[in-house]
PDB file of all heavy atoms in Angstrom:
ATOM      1  N   LEU A 340       9.369  -0.538   3.534  1.00 94.00           N
ATOM      2  CA  LEU A 340       7.920  -0.364   3.384  1.00 94.00           C
ATOM      3  C   LEU A 340       7.184  -1.658   3.710  1.00 94.00           C
ATOM      4  O   LEU A 340       6.102  -1.631   4.290  1.00 94.00           O
ATOM      5  CB  LEU A 340       7.575   0.098   1.969  1.00 94.00           C
ATOM      6  CG  LEU A 340       7.956   1.525   1.643  1.00 94.00           C
ATOM      7  CD1 LEU A 340       7.792   1.790   0.150  1.00 94.00           C
ATOM      8  CD2 LEU A 340       7.115   2.492   2.456  1.00 94.00           C
ATOM      9  N   GLY A 341       7.762  -2.788   3.343  1.00 93.00           N
ATOM     10  CA  GLY A 341       7.158  -4.080   3.682  1.00 93.00           C
ATOM     11  C   GLY A 341       7.083  -4.269   5.185  1.00 93.00           C
ATOM     12  O   GLY A 341       6.057  -4.709   5.716  1.00 93.00           O
ATOM     13  N   HIS A 342       8.152  -3.909   5.880  1.00 94.00           N
ATOM     14  CA  HIS A 342       8.168  -4.002   7.343  1.00 94.00           C
ATOM     15  C   HIS A 342       7.155  -3.033   7.952  1.00 94.00           C
ATOM     16  O   HIS A 342       6.460  -3.371   8.911  1.00 94.00           O
ATOM     17  CB  HIS A 342       9.567  -3.727   7.896  1.00 94.00           C
ATOM     18  CG  HIS A 342      10.607  -4.678   7.402  1.00 94.00           C
ATOM     19  ND1 HIS A 342      10.589  -6.023   7.678  1.00 94.00           N
ATOM     20  CD2 HIS A 342      11.694  -4.470   6.618  1.00 94.00           C
ATOM     21  CE1 HIS A 342      11.617  -6.608   7.094  1.00 94.00           C
ATOM     22  NE2 HIS A 342      12.297  -5.695   6.442  1.00 94.00           N
ATOM     23  N   ALA A 343       7.075  -1.830   7.372  1.00 92.00           N
ATOM     24  CA  ALA A 343       6.122  -0.840   7.873  1.00 92.00           C
ATOM     25  C   ALA A 343       4.690  -1.336   7.701  1.00 92.00           C
ATOM     26  O   ALA A 343       3.854  -1.174   8.593  1.00 92.00           O
ATOM     27  CB  ALA A 343       6.317   0.490   7.160  1.00 92.00           C
ATOM     28  N   LEU A 344       4.401  -1.954   6.557  1.00 92.00           N
ATOM     29  CA  LEU A 344       3.060  -2.504   6.333  1.00 92.00           C
ATOM     30  C   LEU A 344       2.745  -3.607   7.343  1.00 92.00           C
ATOM     31  O   LEU A 344       1.634  -3.674   7.870  1.00 92.00           O
ATOM     32  CB  LEU A 344       2.938  -3.045   4.904  1.00 92.00           C
ATOM     33  CG  LEU A 344       2.876  -1.999   3.802  1.00 92.00           C
ATOM     34  CD1 LEU A 344       3.081  -2.652   2.443  1.00 92.00           C
ATOM     35  CD2 LEU A 344       1.564  -1.242   3.859  1.00 92.00           C
ATOM     36  N   ASP A 345       3.721  -4.464   7.597  1.00 93.00           N
ATOM     37  CA  ASP A 345       3.527  -5.532   8.589  1.00 93.00           C
ATOM     38  C   ASP A 345       3.253  -4.951   9.967  1.00 93.00           C
ATOM     39  O   ASP A 345       2.332  -5.380  10.665  1.00 93.00           O
ATOM     40  CB  ASP A 345       4.760  -6.441   8.654  1.00 93.00           C
ATOM     41  CG  ASP A 345       4.914  -7.312   7.431  1.00 93.00           C
ATOM     42  OD1 ASP A 345       3.916  -7.531   6.707  1.00 93.00           O
ATOM     43  OD2 ASP A 345       6.040  -7.782   7.192  1.00 93.00           O
ATOM     44  N   ASP A 346       4.060  -3.955  10.357  1.00 93.00           N
ATOM     45  CA  ASP A 346       3.886  -3.331  11.676  1.00 93.00           C
ATOM     46  C   ASP A 346       2.550  -2.611  11.778  1.00 93.00           C
ATOM     47  O   ASP A 346       1.856  -2.714  12.795  1.00 93.00           O
ATOM     48  CB  ASP A 346       5.026  -2.349  11.965  1.00 93.00           C
ATOM     49  CG  ASP A 346       6.364  -3.042  12.182  1.00 93.00           C
ATOM     50  OD1 ASP A 346       6.371  -4.277  12.412  1.00 93.00           O
ATOM     51  OD2 ASP A 346       7.397  -2.347  12.118  1.00 93.00           O
ATOM     52  N   LEU A 347       2.189  -1.880  10.733  1.00 91.00           N
ATOM     53  CA  LEU A 347       0.925  -1.149  10.746  1.00 91.00           C
ATOM     54  C   LEU A 347      -0.255  -2.106  10.819  1.00 91.00           C
ATOM     55  O   LEU A 347      -1.186  -1.908  11.598  1.00 91.00           O
ATOM     56  CB  LEU A 347       0.822  -0.268   9.507  1.00 91.00           C
ATOM     57  CG  LEU A 347      -0.427   0.591   9.388  1.00 91.00           C
ATOM     58  CD1 LEU A 347      -0.554   1.541  10.569  1.00 91.00           C
ATOM     59  CD2 LEU A 347      -0.396   1.367   8.077  1.00 91.00           C
ATOM     60  N   ARG A 348      -0.215  -3.161  10.026  1.00 90.00           N
ATOM     61  CA  ARG A 348      -1.301  -4.152  10.043  1.00 90.00           C
ATOM     62  C   ARG A 348      -1.404  -4.801  11.417  1.00 90.00           C
ATOM     63  O   ARG A 348      -2.503  -4.945  11.961  1.00 90.00           O
ATOM     64  CB  ARG A 348      -1.063  -5.204   8.964  1.00 90.00           C
ATOM     65  CG  ARG A 348      -2.223  -6.172   8.831  1.00 90.00           C
ATOM     66  CD  ARG A 348      -2.086  -7.051   7.635  1.00 90.00           C
ATOM     67  NE  ARG A 348      -0.785  -7.696   7.583  1.00 90.00           N
ATOM     68  CZ  ARG A 348      -0.454  -8.600   6.691  1.00 90.00           C
ATOM     69  NH1 ARG A 348      -1.297  -8.962   5.763  1.00 90.00           N
ATOM     70  NH2 ARG A 348       0.732  -9.155   6.714  1.00 90.00           N
ATOM     71  N   ALA A 349      -0.292  -5.157  12.026  1.00 91.00           N
ATOM     72  CA  ALA A 349      -0.313  -5.777  13.354  1.00 91.00           C
ATOM     73  C   ALA A 349      -0.874  -4.810  14.397  1.00 91.00           C
ATOM     74  O   ALA A 349      -1.673  -5.209  15.256  1.00 91.00           O
ATOM     75  CB  ALA A 349       1.099  -6.220  13.749  1.00 91.00           C
ATOM     76  N   ALA A 350      -0.486  -3.543  14.306  1.00 89.00           N
ATOM     77  CA  ALA A 350      -0.987  -2.555  15.269  1.00 89.00           C
ATOM     78  C   ALA A 350      -2.480  -2.336  15.106  1.00 89.00           C
ATOM     79  O   ALA A 350      -3.218  -2.274  16.099  1.00 89.00           O
ATOM     80  CB  ALA A 350      -0.237  -1.240  15.096  1.00 89.00           C
ATOM     81  N   VAL A 351      -2.945  -2.234  13.875  1.00 86.00           N
ATOM     82  CA  VAL A 351      -4.374  -2.013  13.631  1.00 86.00           C
ATOM     83  C   VAL A 351      -5.191  -3.202  14.105  1.00 86.00           C
ATOM     84  O   VAL A 351      -6.249  -3.038  14.732  1.00 86.00           O
ATOM     85  CB  VAL A 351      -4.624  -1.709  12.138  1.00 86.00           C
ATOM     86  CG1 VAL A 351      -6.108  -1.735  11.805  1.00 86.00           C
ATOM     87  CG2 VAL A 351      -4.023  -0.366  11.776  1.00 86.00           C
ATOM     88  N   VAL A 352      -4.712  -4.405  13.848  1.00 85.00           N
ATOM     89  CA  VAL A 352      -5.416  -5.610  14.308  1.00 85.00           C
ATOM     90  C   VAL A 352      -5.449  -5.649  15.829  1.00 85.00           C
ATOM     91  O   VAL A 352      -6.477  -5.945  16.439  1.00 85.00           O
ATOM     92  CB  VAL A 352      -4.767  -6.883  13.723  1.00 85.00           C
ATOM     93  CG1 VAL A 352      -5.280  -8.134  14.420  1.00 85.00           C
ATOM     94  CG2 VAL A 352      -5.032  -6.966  12.227  1.00 85.00           C
ATOM     95  N   ALA A 353      -4.336  -5.328  16.474  1.00 85.00           N
ATOM     96  CA  ALA A 353      -4.275  -5.338  17.937  1.00 85.00           C
ATOM     97  C   ALA A 353      -5.242  -4.321  18.527  1.00 85.00           C
ATOM     98  O   ALA A 353      -5.948  -4.617  19.496  1.00 85.00           O
ATOM     99  CB  ALA A 353      -2.848  -5.052  18.416  1.00 85.00           C
ATOM    100  N   VAL A 354      -5.302  -3.146  17.945  1.00 80.00           N
ATOM    101  CA  VAL A 354      -6.207  -2.112  18.443  1.00 80.00           C
ATOM    102  C   VAL A 354      -7.658  -2.540  18.217  1.00 80.00           C
ATOM    103  O   VAL A 354      -8.514  -2.347  19.080  1.00 80.00           O
ATOM    104  CB  VAL A 354      -5.918  -0.752  17.768  1.00 80.00           C
ATOM    105  CG1 VAL A 354      -7.013   0.252  18.064  1.00 80.00           C
ATOM    106  CG2 VAL A 354      -4.572  -0.221  18.235  1.00 80.00           C
ATOM    107  N   ALA A 355      -7.939  -3.133  17.062  1.00 76.00           N
ATOM    108  CA  ALA A 355      -9.299  -3.568  16.762  1.00 76.00           C
ATOM    109  C   ALA A 355      -9.766  -4.657  17.734  1.00 76.00           C
ATOM    110  O   ALA A 355     -10.942  -4.709  18.100  1.00 76.00           O
ATOM    111  CB  ALA A 355      -9.386  -4.082  15.328  1.00 76.00           C
ATOM    112  N   GLU A 356      -8.842  -5.496  18.164  1.00 76.00           N
ATOM    113  CA  GLU A 356      -9.190  -6.576  19.094  1.00 76.00           C
ATOM    114  C   GLU A 356      -9.308  -6.081  20.531  1.00 76.00           C
ATOM    115  O   GLU A 356      -9.972  -6.686  21.346  1.00 76.00           O
ATOM    116  CB  GLU A 356      -8.155  -7.691  19.010  1.00 76.00           C
ATOM    117  CG  GLU A 356      -8.214  -8.449  17.702  1.00 76.00           C
ATOM    118  CD  GLU A 356      -7.091  -9.449  17.554  1.00 76.00           C
ATOM    119  OE1 GLU A 356      -6.185  -9.491  18.416  1.00 76.00           O
ATOM    120  OE2 GLU A 356      -7.111 -10.188  16.558  1.00 76.00           O
ATOM    121  N   ASP A 357      -8.671  -4.964  20.840  1.00 70.00           N
ATOM    122  CA  ASP A 357      -8.692  -4.412  22.192  1.00 70.00           C
ATOM    123  C   ASP A 357      -9.739  -3.312  22.256  1.00 70.00           C
ATOM    124  O   ASP A 357      -9.433  -2.137  22.249  1.00 70.00           O
ATOM    125  CB  ASP A 357      -7.312  -3.856  22.565  1.00 70.00           C
ATOM    126  CG  ASP A 357      -7.282  -3.291  23.974  1.00 70.00           C
ATOM    127  OD1 ASP A 357      -8.117  -3.688  24.796  1.00 70.00           O
ATOM    128  OD2 ASP A 357      -6.424  -2.428  24.244  1.00 70.00           O
ATOM    129  N   ARG A 358     -10.981  -3.683  22.335  1.00 65.00           N
ATOM    130  CA  ARG A 358     -12.080  -2.724  22.366  1.00 65.00           C
ATOM    131  C   ARG A 358     -12.357  -2.303  23.801  1.00 65.00           C
ATOM    132  O   ARG A 358     -13.380  -2.634  24.378  1.00 65.00           O
ATOM    133  CB  ARG A 358     -13.340  -3.327  21.748  1.00 65.00           C
ATOM    134  CG  ARG A 358     -13.160  -3.843  20.360  1.00 65.00           C
ATOM    135  CD  ARG A 358     -13.169  -2.725  19.351  1.00 65.00           C
ATOM    136  NE  ARG A 358     -14.330  -2.894  18.500  1.00 65.00           N
ATOM    137  CZ  ARG A 358     -14.986  -1.889  17.977  1.00 65.00           C
ATOM    138  NH1 ARG A 358     -14.636  -0.680  18.217  1.00 65.00           N
ATOM    139  NH2 ARG A 358     -15.997  -2.088  17.189  1.00 65.00           N
ATOM    140  N   THR A 359     -11.417  -1.542  24.375  1.00 66.00           N
ATOM    141  CA  THR A 359     -11.568  -1.120  25.769  1.00 66.00           C
ATOM    142  C   THR A 359     -12.424   0.128  25.917  1.00 66.00           C
ATOM    143  O   THR A 359     -12.837   0.471  27.007  1.00 66.00           O
ATOM    144  CB  THR A 359     -10.193  -0.864  26.417  1.00 66.00           C
ATOM    145  OG1 THR A 359      -9.497   0.108  25.641  1.00 66.00           O
ATOM    146  CG2 THR A 359      -9.390  -2.149  26.495  1.00 66.00           C
ATOM    147  N   CYS A 360     -12.689   0.811  24.810  1.00 64.00           N
ATOM    148  CA  CYS A 360     -13.528   2.009  24.864  1.00 64.00           C
ATOM    149  C   CYS A 360     -14.969   1.564  25.149  1.00 64.00           C
ATOM    150  O   CYS A 360     -15.569   0.856  24.350  1.00 64.00           O
ATOM    151  CB  CYS A 360     -13.460   2.766  23.543  1.00 64.00           C
ATOM    152  SG  CYS A 360     -14.508   4.224  23.501  1.00 64.00           S
TER     153      CYS A 360
END
Side-chain angles (χ1 to χ4, degrees):
L340 288 170
H342 300 296
L344 288 167
D345 289 339
D346 291 344
L347 182 59
R348 186 171 51 174
V351 169
V352 168
V354 169
E356 290 174 354
D357 181 23
R358 305 282 245 147
T359 57
C360 178

